[in-house]
Amino acid sequence: MTDNAKGFISLIGASDPESADGRARLEVEVDERHLNPAGTVHGGLLATLVDTTMGAAIRSVLDEETPATSQLSLTYLRPGNPGRLLVTAQVSKRGESITVCEADIEQDGKALVHALATFALVEH
């Protein structure tokens, strides 16, 4: 695990995403712990990675609100294997109380996942 991992993301051995100006980036090394019975990266892990990275992208442009995922849609384009994954996210549209964000996961320069999510902006 990494020293700068907090909360749930630390359980999968990832660090917190880097984020600024409505964009975020996360790199994670996946291994046998992250595989499904078919021997490829578990879809639930991929969903966690995009959700976490999109949340970081949104938080980078917020003042007082907290983003809460209200809808998450993933398109799995190809299976992932042990090795490094790159997750990127960017805010697409921002409304008064709803924000739309998109994310992608790549491995070795090939797209694995494209995600689209809607986040409710909740006041503290």
Side-chain angles (χ1 to χ4, degrees):
M1 283 193 233
T2 60
D3 290 337
N4 62 344
K6 296 181 226 161
F8 181 74
I9 196 76
S10 69
L11 294 175
I12 60 173
S15 61
D16 291 327
E18 300 171 4
S19 61
D21 302 320
R23 296 181 180 272
R25 174 185 170 99
L26 172 64
E27 290 188 44
V28 62
E29 190 74 27
V30 296
D31 57 36
E32 292 75 25
R33 298 173 297 162
H34 305 107
L35 304 182
N36 61 28
T40 60
V41 179
H42 194 283
L45 173 72
L46 298 171
T48 295
L49 293 173
V50 294
D51 186 50
T52 298
T53 307
M54 287 189 283
I58 295 168
R59 280 190 305 279
S60 75
V61 296
L62 296 180
D63 294 320
E64 298 295 320
E65 305 95 350
T66 299
T69 310
S70 61
Q71 183 210 357
L72 175 61
S73 174
L74 279 76
T75 302
Y76 296 96
L77 301 167
R78 67 175 34 91
N81 299 303
R84 184 156 297 277
L85 299 179
L86 171 62
V87 187
T88 56
Q90 68 179 32
V91 174
S92 298
K93 305 284 182 194
R94 183 168 179 203
E96 189 173 314
S97 61
I98 298 288
T99 297
V100 177
C101 196
E102 293 187 59
D104 294 288
I105 301 178
E106 294 182 355
Q107 186 173 47
D108 299 325
K110 295 180 181 176
L112 299 184
V113 172
H114 179 74
L116 178 65
T118 303
F119 290 78
L121 302 180
V122 181
E123 296 282 334
H124 296 278

